[in-house]
Coordinates of all heavy atoms in Angstrom, one line a residue:
M1 N -43.0 -18.7 26.9 CA -43.9 -17.9 26.1 C -43.7 -16.4 26.4 O -43.8 -15.6 25.6 CB -45.3 -18.4 26.4 CG -46.4 -17.8 25.6 SD -46.1 -18.4 23.9 CE -47.4 -17.6 23.1
K2 N -43.4 -16.2 27.7 CA -43.2 -14.8 28.1 C -42.0 -14.2 27.5 O -42.0 -13.0 27.0 CB -43.1 -14.8 29.7 CG -43.0 -13.4 30.2 CD -43.0 -13.5 31.7 CE -42.9 -12.1 32.3 NZ -42.8 -12.1 33.8
R3 N -41.0 -15.0 27.3 CA -39.7 -14.5 26.7 C -40.0 -14.2 25.2 O -39.5 -13.2 24.7 CB -38.7 -15.6 26.7 CG -37.4 -15.2 26.1 CD -36.3 -16.3 26.2 NE -35.9 -16.5 27.6 CZ -35.2 -17.4 28.1 NH1 -34.7 -18.3 27.3 NH2 -34.9 -17.5 29.4
F4 N -40.8 -15.0 24.5 CA -41.1 -14.7 23.1 C -41.9 -13.4 23.0 O -41.7 -12.6 22.1 CB -42.0 -15.9 22.5 CG -42.4 -15.6 21.1 CD1 -41.5 -15.7 20.1 CD2 -43.8 -15.3 20.9 CE1 -42.0 -15.4 18.8 CE2 -44.2 -15.0 19.6 CZ -43.3 -15.1 18.5
A5 N -42.9 -13.2 23.9 CA -43.7 -12.0 23.9 C -42.8 -10.7 24.1 O -43.0 -9.7 23.4 CB -44.8 -12.0 24.9
V6 N -41.8 -10.8 25.0 CA -40.9 -9.7 25.3 C -40.1 -9.4 24.0 O -39.9 -8.2 23.6 CB -40.1 -10.0 26.5 CG1 -38.9 -8.9 26.6 CG2 -40.9 -10.0 27.7
I7 N -39.5 -10.4 23.4 CA -38.7 -10.3 22.2 C -39.5 -9.7 21.0 O -39.1 -8.8 20.4 CB -38.0 -11.6 21.8 CG1 -37.0 -12.0 22.9 CG2 -37.4 -11.5 20.4 CD1 -36.4 -13.3 22.7
A8 N -40.7 -10.2 20.8 CA -41.6 -9.7 19.7 C -42.0 -8.3 20.0 O -42.0 -7.4 19.0 CB -42.8 -10.6 19.6
T9 N -42.3 -7.9 21.2 CA -42.7 -6.5 21.5 C -41.5 -5.6 21.3 O -41.7 -4.5 20.8 CB -43.2 -6.4 23.0 OG1 -44.3 -7.4 23.1 CG2 -43.7 -5.1 23.3
G10 N -40.4 -6.0 21.8 CA -39.2 -5.2 21.6 C -38.8 -4.9 20.2 O -38.5 -3.8 19.7
A11 N -39.0 -6.0 19.3 CA -38.7 -5.9 17.9 C -39.7 -4.9 17.2 O -39.3 -4.1 16.4 CB -38.7 -7.2 17.2
A12 N -41.0 -5.1 17.6 CA -42.0 -4.2 17.0 C -41.8 -2.8 17.4 O -42.0 -1.9 16.6 CB -43.4 -4.8 17.4
V13 N -41.5 -2.5 18.6 CA -41.4 -1.2 19.1 C -40.2 -0.5 18.5 O -40.2 0.6 18.0 CB -41.3 -1.1 20.7 CG1 -40.8 0.2 21.2 CG2 -42.6 -1.5 21.3
S14 N -39.1 -1.3 18.3 CA -37.9 -0.7 17.7 C -38.1 -0.3 16.2 O -37.7 0.7 15.7 CB -36.7 -1.6 17.9 OG -36.9 -2.8 17.1
V15 N -38.9 -1.2 15.5 CA -39.2 -0.9 14.1 C -40.1 0.3 14.0 O -39.9 1.2 13.2 CB -39.8 -2.1 13.5 CG1 -40.4 -1.8 12.1 CG2 -38.8 -3.2 13.3
L16 N -41.1 0.4 14.9 CA -42.0 1.6 14.8 C -41.3 2.9 15.2 O -41.6 3.9 14.6 CB -43.2 1.3 15.7 CG -44.2 0.2 15.2 CD1 -45.3 -0.1 16.2 CD2 -44.7 0.5 13.8
V17 N -40.4 2.8 16.2 CA -39.8 4.0 16.6 C -38.8 4.5 15.5 O -38.8 5.7 15.3 CB -39.0 3.8 17.9 CG1 -38.0 4.9 18.3 CG2 -40.0 3.6 19.1
T18 N -38.1 3.6 14.9 CA -37.2 4.1 13.9 C -37.9 4.4 12.5 O -37.4 5.2 11.8 CB -36.1 3.0 13.6 OG1 -36.7 1.8 13.2 CG2 -35.2 2.8 14.8
A19 N -39.0 3.8 12.2 CA -39.7 4.0 10.9 C -40.6 5.2 11.0 O -41.0 5.8 10.0 CB -40.4 2.8 10.5
G20 N -41.0 5.6 12.2 CA -42.0 6.7 12.4 C -41.5 8.0 11.8 O -42.2 8.6 10.9
P21 N -40.3 8.5 12.1 CA -39.9 9.8 11.5 C -39.7 9.7 10.0 O -39.8 10.7 9.3 CB -38.5 10.0 12.2 CG -38.6 9.3 13.5 CD -39.5 8.1 13.2
V22 N -39.3 8.6 9.5 CA -39.1 8.5 8.1 C -40.4 8.6 7.4 O -40.5 9.3 6.3 CB -38.5 7.1 7.7 CG1 -38.4 6.9 6.3 CG2 -37.1 7.0 8.4
L23 N -41.5 8.0 7.9 CA -42.8 8.1 7.2 C -43.5 9.4 7.4 O -44.4 9.7 6.7 CB -43.7 6.9 7.8 CG -43.2 5.5 7.5 CD1 -44.1 4.5 8.2 CD2 -43.1 5.3 6.0
A24 N -43.0 10.2 8.3 CA -43.7 11.5 8.6 C -43.6 12.5 7.5 O -44.5 13.3 7.2 CB -43.2 12.1 9.9
G25 N -42.5 12.5 6.8 CA -42.3 13.5 5.7 C -42.6 13.0 4.3 O -42.2 13.7 3.4
T26 N -43.1 11.8 4.2 CA -43.3 11.3 2.8 C -44.5 12.0 2.1 O -45.5 12.3 2.8 CB -43.5 9.8 2.9 OG1 -44.7 9.5 3.6 CG2 -42.3 9.1 3.4
K27 N -44.4 12.1 0.9 CA -45.5 12.6 0.0 C -45.4 11.8 -1.3 O -44.4 11.3 -1.6 CB -45.4 14.1 -0.2 CG -44.2 14.5 -1.0 CD -44.2 16.0 -1.3 CE -43.0 16.3 -2.2 NZ -43.1 17.6 -2.7
P28 N -46.5 11.8 -2.0 CA -46.5 11.0 -3.2 C -45.5 11.6 -4.2 O -45.3 12.8 -4.3 CB -47.9 11.1 -3.7 CG -48.6 12.1 -2.9 CD -47.8 12.3 -1.7
D29 N -44.8 10.8 -5.0 CA -43.9 11.3 -6.0 C -44.6 11.8 -7.2 O -45.3 11.1 -7.9 CB -42.9 10.1 -6.4 CG -41.8 10.6 -7.3 OD1 -41.6 11.8 -7.3 OD2 -41.2 9.8 -8.0
D30 N -44.5 13.1 -7.4 CA -45.3 13.7 -8.5 C -44.4 13.9 -9.7 O -44.8 14.5 -10.7 CB -45.9 15.1 -8.0 CG -44.8 16.0 -7.5 OD1 -43.6 15.6 -7.5 OD2 -45.2 17.1 -7.1
G31 N -43.2 13.4 -9.7 CA -42.3 13.5 -10.8 C -41.6 14.8 -11.0 O -40.8 15.0 -11.9
E32 N -41.8 15.7 -10.1 CA -41.1 17.0 -10.1 C -39.7 16.8 -9.7 O -39.3 16.3 -8.7 CB -41.8 18.0 -9.2 CG -41.3 19.3 -9.2 CD -42.0 20.3 -8.3 OE1 -43.1 20.0 -7.9 OE2 -41.4 21.3 -8.0
G33 N -38.8 17.3 -10.6 CA -37.3 17.2 -10.3 C -36.9 18.4 -9.5 O -37.3 19.5 -9.8
H34 N -36.0 18.1 -8.6 CA -35.5 19.2 -7.7 C -34.0 19.3 -8.0 O -33.3 18.4 -8.2 CB -35.8 18.9 -6.2 CG -37.2 18.7 -5.9 ND1 -38.0 19.8 -5.8 CD2 -38.0 17.6 -5.7 CE1 -39.3 19.4 -5.5 NE2 -39.2 18.1 -5.5
G35 N -33.5 20.5 -8.0 CA -32.1 20.8 -8.2 C -31.8 20.9 -9.6 O -32.6 20.9 -10.5
H36 N -30.5 21.2 -9.9 CA -30.0 21.4 -11.3 C -29.6 20.1 -11.9 O -28.9 19.3 -11.2 CB -28.9 22.4 -11.3 CG -29.2 23.7 -10.7 ND1 -30.1 24.6 -11.3 CD2 -28.9 24.3 -9.5 CE1 -30.2 25.7 -10.5 NE2 -29.5 25.5 -9.4
P37 N -29.9 19.9 -13.1 CA -29.4 18.6 -13.8 C -27.9 18.7 -14.0 O -27.3 19.8 -14.1 CB -30.1 18.6 -15.1 CG -30.4 20.1 -15.4 CD -30.6 20.7 -14.1
L38 N -27.3 17.5 -14.1 CA -25.8 17.5 -14.3 C -25.6 17.7 -15.8 O -26.3 17.2 -16.7 CB -25.3 16.1 -13.9 CG -25.2 15.8 -12.5 CD1 -24.7 14.3 -12.3 CD2 -24.2 16.7 -11.8
G39 N -24.5 18.4 -16.1 CA -24.1 18.6 -17.5 C -23.3 17.4 -18.0 O -23.0 16.5 -17.2
L40 N -23.0 17.4 -19.2 CA -22.2 16.2 -19.8 C -20.9 16.1 -19.2 O -20.4 15.0 -18.8 CB -22.1 16.4 -21.3 CG -21.3 15.3 -22.0 CD1 -22.0 14.0 -21.9 CD2 -21.1 15.7 -23.5
G41 N -20.2 17.2 -18.9 CA -18.9 17.1 -18.3 C -18.9 16.6 -16.9 O -18.1 15.7 -16.5
N42 N -19.8 17.1 -16.1 CA -20.0 16.6 -14.7 C -20.4 15.1 -14.7 O -20.0 14.4 -13.8 CB -21.0 17.5 -14.0 CG -20.4 18.8 -13.6 OD1 -19.2 19.0 -13.6 ND2 -21.3 19.8 -13.3
T43 N -21.3 14.7 -15.6 CA -21.7 13.4 -15.7 C -20.6 12.4 -16.0 O -20.4 11.4 -15.4 CB -22.8 13.2 -16.7 OG1 -23.9 14.1 -16.4 CG2 -23.4 11.8 -16.7
L44 N -19.8 12.8 -17.0 CA -18.6 12.0 -17.4 C -17.6 11.9 -16.2 O -17.0 10.9 -15.9 CB -17.9 12.5 -18.6 CG -18.7 12.3 -19.9 CD1 -18.0 12.9 -21.1 CD2 -18.9 10.8 -20.2
L45 N -17.4 13.0 -15.6 CA -16.5 13.1 -14.5 C -16.9 12.2 -13.3 O -16.1 11.4 -12.8 CB -16.3 14.5 -14.0 CG -15.4 14.7 -12.8 CD1 -13.9 14.5 -13.2 CD2 -15.6 16.1 -12.2
L46 N -18.2 12.3 -13.0 CA -18.7 11.5 -11.9 C -18.8 10.0 -12.2 O -18.5 9.2 -11.3 CB -20.1 12.1 -11.5 CG -20.8 11.5 -10.3 CD1 -19.9 11.8 -9.0 CD2 -22.1 12.1 -10.1
F47 N -19.3 9.6 -13.4 CA -19.5 8.2 -13.6 C -18.5 7.5 -14.4 O -18.5 6.3 -14.6 CB -20.9 8.1 -14.3 CG -22.0 8.5 -13.5 CD1 -22.8 9.7 -13.7 CD2 -22.4 7.7 -12.4 CE1 -23.8 10.0 -12.9 CE2 -23.4 8.1 -11.6 CZ -24.2 9.2 -11.8
V48 N -17.5 8.2 -15.0 CA -16.4 7.6 -15.8 C -15.0 7.9 -15.2 O -14.3 6.9 -14.8 CB -16.5 8.0 -17.2 CG1 -15.3 7.4 -18.0 CG2 -17.8 7.7 -17.9
V49 N -14.7 9.1 -15.0 CA -13.3 9.5 -14.6 C -13.1 9.0 -13.2 O -12.0 8.4 -12.9 CB -13.1 11.0 -14.8 CG1 -11.7 11.4 -14.2 CG2 -13.2 11.4 -16.2
V50 N -14.0 9.3 -12.2 CA -13.8 8.9 -10.8 C -13.6 7.4 -10.7 O -12.7 6.9 -10.0 CB -14.9 9.5 -9.9 CG1 -14.8 9.0 -8.5 CG2 -14.8 11.0 -9.9
P51 N -14.5 6.6 -11.2 CA -14.3 5.1 -11.1 C -13.1 4.6 -11.7 O -12.4 3.7 -11.2 CB -15.6 4.5 -11.8 CG -16.6 5.6 -11.7 CD -15.8 6.8 -11.8
V52 N -12.7 5.1 -12.9 CA -11.5 4.7 -13.6 C -10.2 5.1 -12.7 O -9.3 4.3 -12.5 CB -11.4 5.2 -15.0 CG1 -10.0 5.0 -15.6 CG2 -12.4 4.6 -15.9
A53 N -10.2 6.3 -12.2 CA -9.1 6.7 -11.4 C -9.0 5.9 -10.1 O -7.9 5.5 -9.6 CB -9.3 8.2 -11.0
A54 N -10.2 5.6 -9.5 CA -10.2 4.7 -8.3 C -9.6 3.3 -8.6 O -8.8 2.8 -7.8 CB -11.6 4.6 -7.7
S55 N -10.0 2.8 -9.7 CA -9.5 1.4 -10.1 C -8.0 1.5 -10.4 O -7.3 0.5 -10.0 CB -10.2 1.0 -11.4 OG -11.6 0.9 -11.2
L56 N -7.5 2.5 -11.0 CA -6.1 2.6 -11.3 C -5.3 2.8 -10.0 O -4.2 2.2 -9.8 CB -5.8 3.8 -12.2 CG -6.3 3.6 -13.7 CD1 -6.0 4.8 -14.5 CD2 -5.6 2.4 -14.3
L57 N -5.9 3.5 -9.0 CA -5.2 3.7 -7.8 C -5.1 2.4 -7.0 O -4.1 2.0 -6.4 CB -5.9 4.8 -6.9 CG -5.4 5.0 -5.5 CD1 -4.0 5.6 -5.6 CD2 -6.3 5.9 -4.7
I58 N -6.2 1.7 -7.0 CA -6.2 0.4 -6.3 C -5.3 -0.6 -6.9 O -4.6 -1.3 -6.3 CB -7.7 -0.2 -6.2 CG1 -8.5 0.7 -5.3 CG2 -7.7 -1.6 -5.7 CD1 -10.0 0.4 -5.3
S59 N -5.3 -0.6 -8.3 CA -4.3 -1.5 -9.0 C -2.9 -1.1 -8.7 O -2.1 -2.0 -8.5 CB -4.6 -1.4 -10.5 OG -5.9 -1.8 -10.8
A60 N -2.6 0.2 -8.7 CA -1.2 0.6 -8.4 C -0.8 0.2 -7.0 O 0.3 -0.2 -6.7 CB -1.1 2.1 -8.6
L61 N -1.7 0.3 -6.0 CA -1.4 0.0 -4.6 C -1.2 -1.5 -4.5 O -0.5 -2.0 -3.6 CB -2.5 0.5 -3.7 CG -2.5 2.0 -3.5 CD1 -3.7 2.4 -2.6 CD2 -1.3 2.5 -2.9
A62 N -1.9 -2.3 -5.3 CA -1.7 -3.8 -5.3 C -0.4 -4.2 -5.9 O 0.2 -5.2 -5.5 CB -2.9 -4.5 -6.0
V63 N 0.0 -3.5 -7.0 CA 1.2 -3.9 -7.7 C 2.5 -3.4 -7.1 O 3.6 -3.9 -7.2 CB 1.1 -3.5 -9.2 CG1 2.4 -3.7 -9.9 CG2 0.0 -4.3 -9.8
L64 N 2.4 -2.3 -6.4 CA 3.5 -1.5 -5.8 C 4.4 -2.4 -4.9 O 5.7 -2.4 -5.1 CB 3.1 -0.3 -5.1 CG 4.1 0.6 -4.5 CD1 4.9 1.3 -5.7 CD2 3.5 1.7 -3.7
P65 N 3.9 -3.2 -4.0 CA 4.9 -4.0 -3.1 C 5.7 -5.0 -3.9 O 6.9 -5.1 -3.6 CB 3.9 -4.7 -2.2 CG 2.7 -3.9 -2.1 CD 2.6 -3.3 -3.5
S66 N 5.1 -5.6 -4.9 CA 5.9 -6.6 -5.7 C 6.9 -5.9 -6.6 O 8.0 -6.5 -6.9 CB 5.0 -7.5 -6.5 OG 4.3 -6.8 -7.4
S67 N 6.6 -4.7 -7.0 CA 7.6 -4.1 -7.9 C 8.7 -3.5 -7.1 O 9.8 -3.3 -7.7 CB 6.9 -3.0 -8.7 OG 6.4 -1.9 -7.9
L68 N 8.6 -3.2 -5.9 CA 9.6 -2.7 -5.0 C 10.5 -3.8 -4.4 O 11.5 -3.5 -3.8 CB 9.1 -1.8 -3.9 CG 8.4 -0.5 -4.4 CD1 7.8 0.3 -3.2 CD2 9.3 0.4 -5.2
S69 N 10.1 -5.0 -4.5 CA 10.8 -6.1 -3.8 C 12.0 -6.5 -4.6 O 12.2 -6.2 -5.8 CB 9.9 -7.3 -3.6 OG 9.5 -7.9 -4.8
K70 N 12.9 -7.3 -4.0 CA 14.1 -7.8 -4.6 C 13.7 -8.8 -5.6 O 12.7 -9.4 -5.5 CB 15.0 -8.4 -3.5 CG 15.5 -7.4 -2.5 CD 16.3 -8.0 -1.5 CE 16.7 -7.0 -0.4 NZ 17.5 -7.7 0.7
P71 N 14.6 -9.1 -6.6 CA 14.4 -10.1 -7.5 C 14.3 -11.5 -6.9 O 15.0 -11.8 -5.9 CB 15.5 -10.0 -8.5 CG 16.5 -9.1 -7.9 CD 15.9 -8.4 -6.8
R72 N 13.4 -12.3 -7.4 CA 13.2 -13.6 -6.8 C 14.0 -14.7 -7.5 O 14.5 -14.5 -8.6 CB 11.7 -14.0 -6.9 CG 10.8 -13.1 -6.1 CD 9.3 -13.4 -6.3 NE 9.1 -14.7 -6.9 CZ 7.9 -15.2 -7.2 NH1 6.8 -14.5 -6.9 NH2 7.7 -16.4 -7.7
Y73 N 14.2 -15.8 -6.8 CA 14.9 -16.9 -7.4 C 14.0 -17.6 -8.4 O 12.8 -17.8 -8.1 CB 15.4 -17.9 -6.3 CG 15.9 -19.2 -6.9 CD1 17.1 -19.2 -7.5 CD2 15.1 -20.3 -6.9 CE1 17.6 -20.4 -8.0 CE2 15.6 -21.5 -7.4 CZ 16.9 -21.5 -8.0 OH 17.3 -22.7 -8.6
R74 N 14.5 -17.9 -9.5 CA 13.8 -18.6 -10.6 C 14.5 -20.0 -10.8 O 15.7 -20.1 -10.8 CB 13.8 -17.8 -11.9 CG 13.1 -16.5 -11.8 CD 11.7 -16.7 -11.5 NE 11.0 -15.3 -11.4 CZ 9.8 -15.1 -11.0 NH1 9.1 -16.2 -10.7 NH2 9.3 -13.9 -11.0
P75 N 13.7 -21.0 -11.0 CA 14.3 -22.3 -11.2 C 15.2 -22.3 -12.4 O 14.9 -21.7 -13.5 CB 13.1 -23.3 -11.4 CG 12.0 -22.6 -10.8 CD 12.3 -21.1 -10.9
G76 N 16.4 -23.0 -12.3 CA 17.3 -23.1 -13.4 C 18.4 -22.0 -13.3 O 19.4 -22.1 -14.0
K77 N 18.2 -21.0 -12.5 CA 19.3 -20.0 -12.3 C 20.1 -20.4 -11.1 O 19.7 -21.1 -10.2 CB 18.6 -18.6 -12.1 CG 17.9 -18.1 -13.3 CD 17.5 -16.7 -13.1 CE 16.9 -16.2 -14.4 NZ 16.7 -14.7 -14.4
P78 N 21.4 -19.9 -11.1 CA 22.3 -20.3 -10.0 C 21.8 -19.6 -8.7 O 21.2 -18.5 -8.7 CB 23.6 -19.7 -10.4 CG 23.3 -18.7 -11.5 CD 22.1 -19.1 -12.1
W79 N 22.1 -20.3 -7.6 CA 21.8 -19.8 -6.3 C 23.0 -19.0 -5.7 O 24.1 -19.5 -5.6 CB 21.5 -21.0 -5.3 CG 21.1 -20.6 -4.0 CD1 21.8 -20.6 -2.8 CD2 19.8 -20.1 -3.6 NE1 21.1 -20.1 -1.8 CE2 19.8 -19.8 -2.2 CE3 18.6 -19.8 -4.3 CZ2 18.8 -19.3 -1.5 CZ3 17.6 -19.3 -3.6 CH2 17.6 -19.0 -2.2
D80 N 22.7 -17.7 -5.5 CA 23.8 -16.8 -5.1 C 23.9 -16.4 -3.6 O 24.5 -15.5 -3.2 CB 23.6 -15.4 -5.9 CG 23.7 -15.6 -7.4 OD1 24.4 -16.6 -7.8 OD2 23.0 -14.9 -8.1
H81 N 23.2 -17.2 -2.8 CA 23.1 -16.9 -1.4 C 23.8 -18.0 -0.5 O 24.0 -19.1 -1.0 CB 21.7 -16.8 -1.0 CG 20.9 -15.7 -1.8 ND1 21.1 -14.4 -1.7 CD2 20.1 -15.9 -2.8 CE1 20.4 -13.7 -2.5 NE2 19.7 -14.6 -3.2
E82 N 24.1 -17.7 0.7 CA 24.6 -18.6 1.7 C 23.6 -19.7 2.0 O 22.4 -19.4 2.1 CB 25.0 -17.9 3.0 CG 26.2 -17.1 2.9 CD 27.5 -17.9 2.7 OE1 27.6 -19.0 3.3 OE2 28.3 -17.5 1.9
P83 N 24.0 -21.0 2.1 CA 23.0 -22.0 2.5 C 22.5 -21.8 3.9 O 23.2 -21.3 4.8 CB 23.8 -23.3 2.4 CG 25.2 -22.9 2.4 CD 25.3 -21.5 1.9
L84 N 21.3 -22.1 4.1 CA 20.6 -21.9 5.4 C 19.9 -23.2 5.8 O 19.0 -23.7 5.1 CB 19.6 -20.7 5.3 CG 18.8 -20.4 6.6 CD1 19.8 -19.9 7.7 CD2 17.8 -19.3 6.3
W85 N 20.2 -23.7 7.0 CA 19.5 -24.8 7.5 C 18.4 -24.4 8.5 O 18.7 -24.0 9.6 CB 20.5 -25.8 8.2 CG 19.9 -27.1 8.6 CD1 18.7 -27.6 8.4 CD2 20.6 -28.1 9.3 NE1 18.5 -28.8 8.9 CE2 19.7 -29.2 9.5 CE3 21.9 -28.2 9.8 CZ2 20.1 -30.3 10.2 CZ3 22.2 -29.4 10.5 CH2 21.3 -30.4 10.7
I86 N 17.2 -24.4 8.1 CA 16.1 -23.9 8.9 C 15.7 -25.0 9.9 O 15.4 -26.1 9.5 CB 14.9 -23.5 8.1 CG1 15.3 -22.3 7.2 CG2 13.7 -23.1 9.0 CD1 14.3 -21.9 6.2
G87 N 15.7 -24.7 11.2 CA 15.4 -25.7 12.2 C 16.5 -26.6 12.6 O 16.4 -27.4 13.5
G88 N 17.7 -26.4 12.1 CA 18.9 -27.2 12.4 C 19.5 -26.6 13.7 O 19.1 -25.6 14.2
P89 N 20.6 -27.2 14.1 CA 21.3 -26.7 15.2 C 22.0 -25.4 15.0 O 22.4 -25.1 13.8 CB 22.4 -27.8 15.5 CG 22.6 -28.5 14.2 CD 21.3 -28.4 13.5
S90 N 22.1 -24.6 16.0 CA 22.7 -23.3 15.8 C 24.2 -23.5 15.7 O 24.8 -24.5 16.0 CB 22.4 -22.3 16.9 OG 22.9 -22.8 18.1
E91 N 24.9 -22.4 15.2 CA 26.4 -22.6 15.0 C 27.1 -22.8 16.4 O 28.2 -23.3 16.4 CB 26.9 -21.3 14.3 CG 26.4 -21.2 12.9 CD 26.9 -20.0 12.2 OE1 27.8 -19.3 12.8 OE2 26.4 -19.7 11.1
S92 N 26.5 -22.3 17.4 CA 27.2 -22.4 18.8 C 27.0 -23.8 19.3 O 27.8 -24.2 20.2 CB 26.6 -21.4 19.7 OG 25.2 -21.7 20.0
Q93 N 26.1 -24.6 18.8 CA 25.9 -26.0 19.4 C 26.8 -26.9 18.6 O 26.8 -26.9 17.4 CB 24.4 -26.4 19.2 CG 23.5 -25.6 20.1 CD 22.0 -26.0 19.8 OE1 21.7 -26.6 18.7 NE2 21.2 -25.8 20.7
A94 N 27.5 -27.8 19.3 CA 28.4 -28.7 18.6 C 27.5 -30.0 18.3 O 26.7 -30.4 19.1 CB 29.5 -29.1 19.6
V95 N 27.8 -30.5 17.2 CA 27.1 -31.8 16.8 C 27.9 -32.9 17.3 O 29.1 -33.1 17.1 CB 27.0 -31.8 15.2 CG1 26.3 -33.1 14.8 CG2 26.3 -30.6 14.7
A96 N 27.2 -33.8 18.1 CA 27.8 -34.9 18.7 C 28.2 -36.0 17.7 O 27.4 -36.2 16.7 CB 26.9 -35.5 19.8
P97 N 29.3 -36.7 17.8 CA 29.6 -37.7 16.8 C 28.7 -38.9 16.9 O 28.2 -39.2 18.0 CB 31.1 -38.1 17.2 CG 31.2 -37.7 18.6 CD 30.4 -36.5 18.8
T98 N 28.4 -39.5 15.8 CA 27.5 -40.6 15.8 C 28.1 -41.9 16.3 O 29.3 -42.1 16.1 CB 26.9 -40.9 14.4 OG1 28.0 -41.1 13.6 CG2 26.2 -39.7 13.9
D99 N 27.4 -42.7 17.0 CA 27.9 -44.0 17.5 C 27.7 -45.1 16.5 O 26.6 -45.3 16.0 CB 27.1 -44.4 18.8 CG 27.6 -45.6 19.5 OD1 28.7 -46.1 19.1 OD2 26.9 -46.1 20.4
T100 N 28.8 -45.7 16.1 CA 28.7 -46.7 15.0 C 28.0 -48.0 15.5 O 27.5 -48.8 14.6 CB 30.1 -47.1 14.5 OG1 30.9 -47.5 15.6 CG2 30.7 -45.8 13.9
N101 N 27.9 -48.2 16.8 CA 27.2 -49.5 17.3 C 25.7 -49.3 17.5 O 25.0 -50.2 17.9 CB 27.9 -49.9 18.6 CG 29.3 -50.3 18.4 OD1 29.6 -50.8 17.3 ND2 30.1 -50.2 19.4
A102 N 25.2 -48.0 17.4 CA 23.8 -47.8 17.7 C 23.0 -48.4 16.6 O 23.3 -48.4 15.4 CB 23.6 -46.3 17.7
R103 N 21.9 -49.0 17.0 CA 20.9 -49.5 16.1 C 19.6 -48.8 16.4 O 19.3 -48.4 17.5 CB 20.7 -51.0 16.4 CG 22.0 -51.8 16.0 CD 21.9 -53.2 16.4 NE 20.7 -53.8 15.9 CZ 20.3 -55.1 16.2 NH1 21.0 -55.7 17.1 NH2 19.3 -55.6 15.7
G104 N 18.8 -48.6 15.4 CA 17.6 -47.9 15.6 C 16.5 -48.4 14.7 O 16.5 -49.5 14.3
G105 N 15.7 -47.5 14.3 CA 14.6 -47.9 13.4 C 13.4 -48.5 14.1 O 13.2 -48.2 15.3
A106 N 12.7 -49.4 13.5 CA 11.4 -49.9 14.0 C 11.7 -50.8 15.2 O 10.8 -51.1 16.0 CB 10.6 -50.6 12.9
S107 N 12.9 -51.4 15.3 CA 13.1 -52.3 16.4 C 13.3 -51.6 17.7 O 13.3 -52.3 18.7 CB 14.4 -53.2 16.1 OG 15.5 -52.3 16.0
A108 N 13.5 -50.3 17.7 CA 13.7 -49.5 18.9 C 14.8 -50.0 19.8 O 14.8 -49.9 21.0 CB 12.4 -49.5 19.7
E109 N 15.9 -50.5 19.2 CA 17.1 -50.9 19.9 C 18.1 -49.8 19.8 O 18.9 -49.8 18.9 CB 17.6 -52.2 19.4 CG 16.7 -53.4 19.6 CD 17.3 -54.6 19.0 OE1 18.5 -54.7 18.7 OE2 16.5 -55.6 18.8
W110 N 18.1 -48.9 20.7 CA 19.0 -47.7 20.7 C 20.2 -48.0 21.5 O 20.3 -48.3 22.5 CB 18.2 -46.5 21.2 CG 17.0 -46.2 20.3 CD1 15.8 -46.5 20.6 CD2 17.0 -45.4 19.1 NE1 14.9 -46.1 19.6 CE2 15.7 -45.4 18.7 CE3 18.0 -44.8 18.4 CZ2 15.3 -44.7 17.5 CZ3 17.6 -44.1 17.2 CH2 16.3 -44.1 16.8

């Protein structure tokens, strides 16, 4: 119970300390506008041109890596590269000849 009281007090104090300065300068909204209104050009620039430019920039950055990469292999086209065995023995390792008498499989007779 003591732990709950400490946590609740700490939460309440932190809310009151941070909300106090915000509430000190409030006054009722009388509808009076402050500052200069935006003109049509500034409004279009701010709400149309900037978002469209940002979208085009993000799109260009997303497409750029794939447009700079090498052409990819497509099914049905000939393979123009050296064969590669991934996970296979390296070229320096010799492959041992297979034993013709060896038996394996589920019987586990090796």
